[in-house]
Structures are given as C-alpha cells and as structure tokens.
Amino acid sequence: MIRENDLEALLTGDKSTAEDLFRRAREKCLAVKGPEVLVRALVEWSNVCRNDCLYCGIRRSRNVPRYTLGEEEILDCCTRAWNDGVRTFVLQGGENPAAALRLVPTVKKMRERWPGAAITLSLGELPFTTYALLREAGANRYLLRHESANPAHYASLHPAGMRLETRLACLQELRRLGYETGMGMMVGSPGQGVGHLLEDLRLMQAFQPDMIGIGPFIPQEGTPFADRPAGSAEMTLRLIAILRLMLPEANIPATTALATLLPEGKKAGILAGANVVMNVYTPENERAKYDLYKGKVNV
Ligand code: 5AD
C-alpha cells in the first residue's frame, strides 16, 4: 500500500528514503510477480510519423532517413525472437494511420503462426476502427503513453491540435476493445515539476493500466528541446518503485531510455520494482534511424 500523502516525500526525500522505497518495491514485485524478469521483443516497425512532438527524434519535421519494415521483415524479426524463447512481440512505430491499417494482415499472420504469443502494438493515436481491426486480427496489448496528465503541460510538449483528452479517449477505447493497456510518461520532460508527476501518478492510479512505460527525457539534436537538460535516472527509479507499490500487478519495463542515461540502468530498474525488459529485434540496418533521443543504446 502507498498513501497519497506520502507520495511527494517519496519523490523528494533523501537517499535513504529512496533506498527504502526501492527495497519495498522489489519485495512487492517478488511477492506479486515472482522472480522472473519478462523479456519482450521490440520491433521498431517504422519511423514515419505524422506528428511533430517537440521532444521526439522521429518528429515529422526532423530530417532523418525514413523506413517502414515490410511484412516479411517483421515476421523474420518475430521468428528470431521466438527462436530465442521470447513470447511477446512489441510492434512499435511512428503514428501513421494508413500504414497502421496495412498491418492488419501482418498481425493476422503473426497470430496464426504463434497462437500462444502476446502481440503488443504501440502505434500512437489511430481511428477507433483501426484499433478494432487490429484487435480482431489478434493483437492483445497496446502501449500509448499519456506523456503528461496535466493538459497545459501536455500541450506544451506537443504541437497545436494534439490534446491530452484525445489521448485519454484512445486509452479508454483500447481498454473497451479488450486490449491490455499501457500508459506512462517521460520523467524530467521540459516544464515538468513534482506537481505534474503527482498528477501522473493519480491519473495512473485512477486508470489502473496493465502496463506502465516510464523513462527519463533525453534531449535529441534537431528538435526544439535539443538544449534542455535530461531527466533524472534516480527520479525515474523512484517512480518505477512507487508505481510498483501503487499497481502491484502491472507489468513495468526497465526502459531503454533509463539504460541510455544510467550504466546498468536495466538492472537498477529491476531492483526498483520493474519486471520487464524490452530487447531490440529491429533489423540492424534500420536501428540507427529509430533515434528517438541522443545516444539510444540497444541493450
Ligand atoms: N527522450 C525520452 N523519451 C522519448 N520519447 C520520445 N522522445 C523522447 C526523448 N527525447 C518516448 C516518448 C514516446 C516514445 C515513442 O518515446 O515517451 O511515447
């Protein structure tokens, strides 16, 4: 259990507060989720994106070579992962509704070929009909970070026209369609204060996501936030731990962004209550193009 009144102290307290929090979270994780660390195969399907999020390295207006994997390439990545013993595939990409719709037959093939696998999608805000078609095709989980629970802060991270309300409506619809649903945010994004993080925690407590993705903000060259400071790895670990205590059953990865900022970041995440790692299965020749932030590691 975790008390609402304690949250701020847990985020801002001294080193021993943090150590105690991490210990409680890993004990809770062991008791509820067991000793295994779950491995996911991350297939970065496409870096084509219609959005222009101010923080993101694959935003539309940034000059990067674009790619989209074809069906055979996706199935090859999944085969490699399956042969490595991985039983959850995560197809992630920029927001590209027309191309996402073309994934329906691919997801169908994945479902036929690997009936026992979990198929997770992370493709942004799509028409509800597309979410439904992908679900019918066999996808059963969807990750859509809310990025900030505060509407004004959300607006400051995104171009005009993108609204928190729309994002939350997508999350509700995904849940209604029977997807296991994931949300989350960057830690230390420009303009974010402790108050915003408390709002993020309250939103997730209310929504009760099945999965939670959080990682530190890391500036990327050629974006409006290129000169902003990176978020704190330590604050990210505190949030992982708090979320483990708040939502004990949730699947929480130790993210690549955390590992990019902190040596042995994945291990630190696990020791703070995370229970998932996402290993990159994107073909080697495309990996560098999925450069969401500076120095992204492939561990
Ligand atoms: N730093 C950290 N995470 C980022 N993301 C995008 N850009 C960055 C960045 N500069 C995360 C966002 C988004 C996902 C695609 O990657 O949270 O949801």
Side-chain angles (χ1 to χ4, degrees):
M1 261 307 286
I2 195 149
R3 281 193 305 273
E4 165 76 28
N5 291 343
D6 295 340
L7 290 179
E8 187 161 355
L10 291 172
L11 287 176
T12 56
D14 62 10
K15 196 92 199 136
S16 75
T17 307
E19 289 305 332
D20 187 53
L21 173 64
F22 300 156
R23 185 188 44 74
R24 281 170 64 203
R26 70 177 168 259
E27 282 170 7
K28 175 65 83 180
C29 191
L30 189 61
V32 177
K33 306 299 286 182
E36 287 91 14
V37 173
L38 305 173
V39 180
R40 315 306 195 202
L42 180 63
V43 180
E44 292 151 334
W45 155 69
S46 174
N47 68 353
V48 178
C49 190
R50 68 172 170 179
N51 282 336
D52 220 19
C53 306
L54 278 72
Y55 45 85
C56 185
I58 63 168
R59 70 199 300 264
R60 187 184 61 218
S61 62
R62 187 163 178 259
N63 187 16
V64 277
R66 302 287 167 169
Y67 75 93
T68 301
L69 301 183
E71 180 169 277
E72 280 313 311
E73 286 174 296
I74 294 171
L75 294 172
D76 284 350
C77 295
C78 296
T79 303
R80 271 191 293 123
W82 183 268
N83 291 341
D84 285 349
V86 182
R87 296 294 177 260
T88 299
F89 309 127
V90 183
L91 277 188
Q92 184 167 86
E95 189 171 285
N96 185 351
L101 190 57
R102 290 196 291 272
L103 276 178
V104 168
T106 307
V107 170
K108 225 173 244 163
K109 281 195 188 138
M110 288 167 65
R111 178 49 70 221
E112 282 161 15
R113 213 170 278 188
W114 299 286
I119 301 176
T120 307
L121 303 177
S122 180
L123 308 170
E125 295 174 4
L126 300 174
F128 289 0
T129 49
T130 305
Y131 286 152
L133 289 168
L134 289 163
R135 174 85 186 101
E136 278 165 38
N140 56 335
R141 299 180 184 167
Y142 204 102
L143 303 169
L144 183 62
R145 289 187 176 181
H146 67 279
E147 308 295 1
S148 172
N150 177 286
H153 183 236
Y154 182 95
S156 74
L157 300 175
H158 297 101
M162 278 183 75
R163 294 168 65 208
L164 175 61
E165 210 179 311
T166 312
R167 182 70 47 119
L168 297 179
C170 287
L171 283 162
Q172 292 291 358
E173 177 65 7
L174 288 161
R175 169 160 287 171
R176 197 188 67 77
L177 288 165
Y179 285 97
E180 279 183 40
T181 305
M183 61 201 301
M185 69 288 172
M186 294 175 291
V187 178
S189 59
Q192 183 190 65
V194 171
H196 293 120
L197 290 170
L198 294 174
E199 288 183 64
D200 289 319
L201 290 172
R202 286 188 204 110
L203 176 67
M204 289 190 274
Q205 184 155 46
F207 188 87
Q208 300 265 315
D210 306 286
M211 305 170 285
I212 297 162
I214 52 178
F217 162 73
I218 302 173
Q220 176 58 294
E221 286 159 20
T223 68
F225 291 157
D227 298 325
R228 301 303 182 95
S232 144
E234 149 102 18
M235 192 60 124
T236 305
L237 293 170
R238 290 182 191 225
L239 285 152
I240 289 174
I242 290 171
L243 285 158
R244 170 59 61 209
L245 295 170
M246 201 179 244
L247 299 165
E249 305 276 350
N251 284 323
I252 307 179
T255 56
T256 304
L258 178 60
T260 299
L261 211 57
L262 181 71
E264 305 225 46
K266 293 212 176 177
K267 184 169 159 192
I270 299 296
L271 292 176
N275 70 318
V276 173
V277 292
M278 295 169 79
N279 292 351
V280 177
Y281 277 83
T282 312
E284 304 268 356
N285 57 320
E286 309 291 19
R287 276 185 200 181
K289 298 177 198 157
Y290 204 80
D291 56 347
L292 299 175
Y293 43 81
K294 199 164 46 204
K296 182 166 161 275
V297 293
N298 282 314
V299 292

